[in-house]
Amino acid sequence: MSWWAAINGRAGPARGWLCGVLAFQLCGLCLAGWLFRRALNPDAVAYLQLAAHYARGDFGLAVSGYWSPLISWAIVPLLKLGIQPLLAARIFMIASGVVFMLGCYCLFRRFNLPQRYLRVGLWTAALVSVPWSAENVTPDLLLGGIIGFGVAALATPRWFMRPAAALGCGAVWGIAYLCKAVALPLGLLTCLAAAWFWWRRHRDAAAQVWRSFGLTLLALALVAGPWIGAISAHYGKFTVSNSAVYNHALVGPGEGTRLFLLDLGFHKPPPGRITIWEDPRSPYPDWAPWASWELAWHQVRIILGNLPLVTLILTEISLGFPIAAAFGLAQWCLGRRRAGPEPALMWAWLPVIILAALYVPSFLHPNGQRYFYCTMPLIFIACTRLLGESAAAHWLRLQRLGPVLLAIAFLGPTIYRAGRELNTLRLAGEAAHELAARLRAAGLIGPVAGSGMLPGGRAGLYLAFLIQQPWYGDAPSPAPDEFARSGARIVVVRRGSALARALAAHASFRNLDMVLFGSERAAAHFPLQVFENLSTGAGSRLQPDPWRAEIHRPDCKISFDKRHAAARRAVIQTPMI
């Protein structure tokens, strides 16, 4: 069966086979969620705080143009049921992994992959989703599944033959926008390309194609419009998202490096907020590359610098990406240009290219693999196409080894990253839980300053979230006097750092090792050091918070003894802040 005919294929594994893969995946997701139940990341703090604002009815604080609302909305019912916020976040990530796998399954069925490749694809999607769900609490994994549904809906002739199918497709892309703002331009451009593709193939149905395109945009607008209206009213101007503006401003022209918002010095968040990260405003002016030739050339340099980074990130999704991409480009250039794009390659590569084009003009982190989770099933389809019809694959007799090679290409990078980084990502969250329990027991509650950077992120920020006190920020090279003037009562730094020694010798700070740990020997095994800022006076009175009851449990204590020697080595290798 040709790939063009296979677009309408309905072949797939038996329902029992799919249920078996789902059951295995669910067990893995639950295990990962339990092991990383105390792991945090800065984005998780923002999403959980916004969910808490929604749950309390503080909509003025809940609306944020930087963070898409779907993850917070999904967590609100769990909070209302009395589920602890971190557990609710892990439940959301478990559900995201299941949706991701179902989105992959939908795409694989749409292209009617051979049974052996389909099964390998399902198992691969299930296996990679487990460490991805543990790595961060973000909507990227859920977005990957939703985009899979959206692309699969566009890749069938039913999209332009049935108005209901077009409306459903638009609703899916609207939900994707509510999940993450980048899905709006991705959906619009993908739908436009799909309309052009079907119009070229079916000129006699041109009216139906463009009618369906209009219906898709209508449904997308109906789903996304209310949220766009809400954030536009919140900021007093038309706003689709603030995240693109912020990330583009970070790479603006000028001397020196533009610092991340959380490293820009000490500041008090607005009343009711834990941190300014809940509704971040760019401290740098945005810039337009078309304003001058100098700015245009600066934008070109940013894009050229990000292209190798995107290639590296996609290669970390699958080792087969560069080979499949080169094969697809060569085939399109050499043999397919007159006939138009080959269907399988077009549907597989178009969303990947559009997504990469949306990210390269702005700031892109080297560890931004999560931004491209949605490309995994698309790259898998392209690699399957390479192994199935490539003359080189026939010559090398790779058909029989194809499923094994694909499994290695997709699982290898994820297993390597998980083994190298995943085990240490819990350290910052676990250390923050330990400090939260000890500070509450000592009655030392107040605003927090300092990052206390550990593998896994900013333990100081996580501590502020756990004790529900404002976090007053940090600076790249702060002095003790800056902490004293910050107004924060609790200062968290890395133990053994030059800053920790300076704070210990400063008259405005009290070392809390004896208060929190009872002895210097016990405190020496803990990776963070906590000081009380005496210039602020007494801290806030301790208020019971039922949503934070988990930090009172005795099993939240963590031990940094010989069993954690590897973890301590990872801590030592992290740069001091």
Side-chain angles (χ1 to χ4, degrees):
M1 181 183 294
S2 70
W3 282 83
W4 167 243
I7 290 180
N8 295 313
R10 294 179 176 273
R15 183 174 298 178
W17 175 267
L18 177 61
C19 292
V21 178
L22 280 172
F24 176 86
Q25 181 203 31
L26 193 58
C27 292
L29 291 171
C30 291
L31 177 61
W34 172 254
L35 293 176
F36 287 83
R37 63 192 181 279
R38 296 193 183 101
L40 274 165
N41 55 292
D43 292 9
V45 172
Y47 284 122
L48 289 173
Q49 277 301 114
L50 294 176
H53 296 324
Y54 278 114
R56 290 192 291 263
D58 296 333
F59 297 109
L61 296 175
V63 175
S64 173
Y66 188 87
W67 306 105
S68 297
L70 188 60
I71 179 173
S72 298
W73 291 350
I75 291 174
V76 168
L78 301 176
L79 297 181
K80 288 289 190 179
L81 292 174
I83 298 175
Q84 302 297 334
L86 294 183
L87 179 57
R90 288 301 161 186
I91 292 174
F92 173 83
M93 294 308 299
I94 291 171
S96 298
V98 173
V99 173
F100 174 78
M101 211 275 281
L102 292 176
C104 294
Y105 170 69
C106 187
L107 270 175
F108 296 156
R109 275 195 59 184
R110 182 64 60 205
F111 288 94
N112 198 21
L113 297 188
Q115 284 292 316
R116 54 179 181 167
Y117 286 108
L118 179 57
R119 293 180 178 182
V120 170
L122 288 179
W123 280 109
T124 301
L127 290 171
V128 299
S129 67
V130 173
W132 289 354
S133 71
E135 195 171 13
N136 292 290
V137 177
T138 62
D140 298 279
L141 194 58
L142 177 63
L143 179 67
I146 297 174
I147 289 178
F149 293 130
V151 174
L154 288 171
T156 173
R158 287 198 302 272
W159 175 73
F160 67 86
M161 292 180 178
R162 300 180 182 178
L167 290 171
C169 178
V172 169
W173 284 106
I175 295 172
Y177 161 72
L178 297 177
C179 186
K180 194 166 184 178
V182 71
L184 183 62
L186 175 63
L188 291 175
L189 293 174
T190 304
C191 291
L192 179 61
W196 172 82
F197 175 81
W198 289 118
W199 171 73
R200 279 183 61 98
R201 294 298 189 201
H202 299 275
R203 295 293 181 93
D204 55 332
Q208 289 177 287
V209 169
W210 295 110
R211 179 201 63 189
S212 295
F213 177 67
L215 291 175
T216 300
L217 295 187
L218 175 63
L220 193 159
L222 290 175
V223 174
W227 177 247
I228 295 176
I231 58 177
S232 297
H234 180 70
Y235 296 112
K237 61 179 181 179
F238 179 75
T239 305
V240 175
S241 172
N242 288 338
S243 57
V245 175
Y246 176 84
N247 291 324
H248 192 246
L250 275 180
V251 295
E255 297 181 358
T257 302
R258 297 196 172 190
L259 296 175
F260 190 55
L261 181 64
L262 299 182
D263 292 319
L264 274 178
F266 301 98
H267 44 257
K268 294 184 179 181
R273 294 197 184 279
I274 295 296
T275 169
I276 60 172
W277 191 233
E278 296 171 36
D279 189 14
R281 311 294 177 91
S282 176
Y284 308 110
D286 195 19
W287 54 284
W290 52 83
S292 66
W293 285 108
E294 291 79 8
L295 292 177
W297 176 239
H298 179 76
Q299 181 67 86
V300 170
R301 289 201 304 268
I302 296 299
I303 293 174
L304 293 178
N306 279 336
L307 283 176
L309 183 56
V310 169
T311 303
L312 176 63
I313 290 174
L314 290 173
T315 303
E316 290 181 337
I317 298 292
S318 170
L319 296 174
F321 164 75
I323 300 174
F327 168 77
L329 180 63
Q331 188 179 38
W332 180 79
C333 292
L334 296 177
R336 304 283 185 173
R337 296 187 67 174
R338 293 184 180 180
E342 201 273 338
L345 291 177
M346 181 269 193
W347 292 115
W349 288 120
L350 184 64
V352 179
I353 294 171
I354 294 175
L355 187 64
L358 292 173
Y359 277 117
V360 292
S362 302
F363 174 77
L364 186 62
H365 198 279
N367 291 327
Q369 291 84 6
R370 62 186 179 89
Y371 304 143
F372 295 90
Y373 285 167
C374 62
T375 65
M376 178 266 161
L378 300 169
I379 297 175
F380 188 91
I381 292 171
C383 290
T384 305
R385 168 72 171 78
L386 169 63
L387 291 172
E389 296 188 10
S390 168
H394 282 278
W395 180 64
L396 295 173
R397 298 183 179 180
L398 295 179
Q399 281 73 27
R400 292 184 179 181
L401 294 176
V404 176
L405 294 175
L406 282 184
I408 295 173
F410 281 84
L411 292 176
T414 298
I415 293 175
Y416 173 75
R417 282 202 312 121
R420 184 187 62 183
E421 301 175 357
L422 205 57
N423 187 47
T424 61
L425 291 181
R426 298 178 292 177
L427 292 180
E430 290 179 342
H433 274 80
E434 174 78 1
L435 285 181
R438 293 182 181 273
L439 286 170
R440 282 181 176 271
L444 293 169
I445 300 298
V448 181
S451 294
M453 289 292 291
L454 292 175
R458 302 172 185 268
L461 172 62
Y462 306 159
L463 171 65
F465 167 72
L466 292 172
I467 64 176
Q468 286 293 282
Q469 292 292 320
W471 186 69
Y472 284 1
D474 201 356
S477 300
D481 289 337
E482 294 180 82
F483 279 107
R485 293 191 299 267
S486 69
R489 185 186 184 188
I490 306 299
V491 176
V492 182
V493 296
R494 282 279 301 277
R495 184 175 298 276
S497 64
L499 179 57
R501 293 189 293 270
L503 290 171
H506 200 281
S508 298
F509 296 93
R510 177 169 68 123
N511 189 346
L512 296 179
D513 279 351
M514 294 297 294
V515 177
L516 298 180
F517 297 95
S519 69
E520 294 183 359
R521 181 177 180 181
H525 290 283
F526 197 74
L528 299 174
Q529 197 163 0
V530 183
F531 296 87
E532 182 182 13
N533 185 3
L534 300 177
S535 61
T536 63
S540 305
R541 296 187 68 183
L542 179 60
Q543 299 292 334
D545 186 350
W547 287 357
R548 299 293 178 264
E550 76 273 12
I551 66 173
H552 292 287
R553 295 202 307 265
D555 65 344
C556 76
K557 302 292 182 64
I558 55 177
S559 173
F560 291 84
D561 55 13
K562 294 181 179 179
R563 292 174 298 172
H564 297 80
R568 288 205 305 273
R569 287 195 296 270
V571 171
I572 294 172
Q573 293 169 1
T574 304
M576 294 286 188
I577 295 292

